Amino acid sequence: MTTSLKQVPGEKTHMTTSMIETATGVIQSFSPIKKIHQHLCAFHFYGDDRSRQVEAHHFCSHQNEELRQCLIYDGPDSHARLIGVEYIVSEPLFLSLPDSEKPLWHSHQYEVKSGLLFMPAVPLLLQRADLEKVCKSYGKTFHFWQVDRGDELPLGLPQIMMALTADGQLREDLAMGVEQRFGMSFAKERENRVYMAGPEQGIHPLANGAGKGIALTLRETQLPQEEETSTVFL
C-alpha cells in the first residue's frame, strides 16, 4: 500500500505552518517519539471479519524487555496515515492478565515463523535475533482509521484487530505486493525461521479471540449523577 496526500481531505500545508513546525522541531524534545527504534511490517485483520486485511507498519519502542508499544501506519513513507496502536507483551506478562482480557490479545508465533512479520531494510540475520523474542509474545491492537474501505478520515469506533494464525488466511495480493516492494520471500524466510519456538506453554486457548470473532460495540449508558456543590468566595 502506498499513501498519498490526495487521500486525505483538507488544504495543503501552509508555509507558515511549515515554518512553525521547523521552529518547534528545534525547540521541543519529542522524547517519546525518539524512543522509537524499530520498524516492523506485518498484516492485521479485523477481529470480526478475516477477509478485511491491511498492511500494518509498526514503529516501536521498548518500555522494557517485556513490553513494546508501537504506532501503526498504513505505509512506511512520510505521508503515511497513523491508523492504530499495538502493545506487545512477553508470555509471562500475558499469562498474568485476567482471563476476561486475554481474548483481546493475539499470538505472534505464526506471523514470525511464516516470515510474514519482518523488519524492512534490516539484515535478516540481525532480524532473527529479535524476532525469536517476538515469536513468543502476544499483541493487543486497535485500528482507528479504516483505510481498507476508503475512509478519508478516521471514522467510527476503534476496531480490535487480530493477527494471522495459519496458512491460507493471508490475501495473495497483499502478500505479493509486500514481497515485491521490500524484496522479501516469505517462503524462503519461513525456511530460515523453522528453528524458532513460540510461547513456552503453547499459544493460550483464550488468545486470538478465543477462536471466535470479536468486535467492539457502542452502547448508551446512564452517567452518574453529579453531586451539587457550592462555591464559597473568601
Side-chain angles (χ1 to χ4, degrees), residues 72-194:
I72 300 175
Y73 290 81
D74 66 338
D77 58 80
S78 61
H79 300 316
R81 294 167 291 187
L82 175 64
I83 61 173
V85 296
E86 178 166 358
Y87 301 97
I88 299 175
V89 298
S90 66
E91 181 183 13
L93 284 185
F94 172 79
L95 293 176
S96 73
L97 298 172
D99 284 352
S100 59
E101 170 72 16
K102 288 184 175 76
L104 300 176
W105 296 72
H106 57 263
S107 60
H108 290 128
Q109 176 180 307
Y110 175 79
E111 281 189 296
V112 174
K113 288 181 68 67
S114 65
L116 298 178
L117 190 156
F118 67 98
M119 303 177 193
V122 177
L124 294 173
L125 283 174
L126 184 59
Q127 289 190 44
R128 292 173 202 141
D130 187 62
L131 292 178
E132 289 176 23
K133 301 176 184 177
V134 180
C135 194
K136 300 177 184 295
S137 69
Y138 292 85
K140 181 180 183 181
T141 303
F142 292 98
H143 281 197
F144 310 114
W145 199 332
Q146 299 186 55
V147 292
D148 66 300
R149 68 181 187 185
D151 288 3
E152 294 184 324
L153 293 170
L155 306 176
L157 294 178
Q159 300 290 307
I160 186 76
M161 307 296 285
M162 292 293 164
L164 303 164
T165 56
D167 292 346
Q169 292 179 350
L170 180 60
R171 281 172 34 202
E172 209 169 302
D173 60 315
L174 285 180
M176 290 179 61
V178 169
E179 285 183 308
Q180 290 172 2
R181 280 184 283 116
F182 293 97
M184 280 289 297
S185 168
F186 295 144
K188 184 175 181 179
E189 190 56 16
R190 177 198 290 255
E191 295 175 2
N192 292 326
R193 299 181 189 181
V194 69

Side-chain angles (χ1 to χ4, degrees), residues 1-3 39 55-57 59 73-77 80-81:
M1 178 185 295
T2 56
T3 56
H39 173 196
E55 183 180 326
H57 291 265
F59 292 86
Y73 290 81
D74 66 338
D77 58 80
R81 294 167 291 187

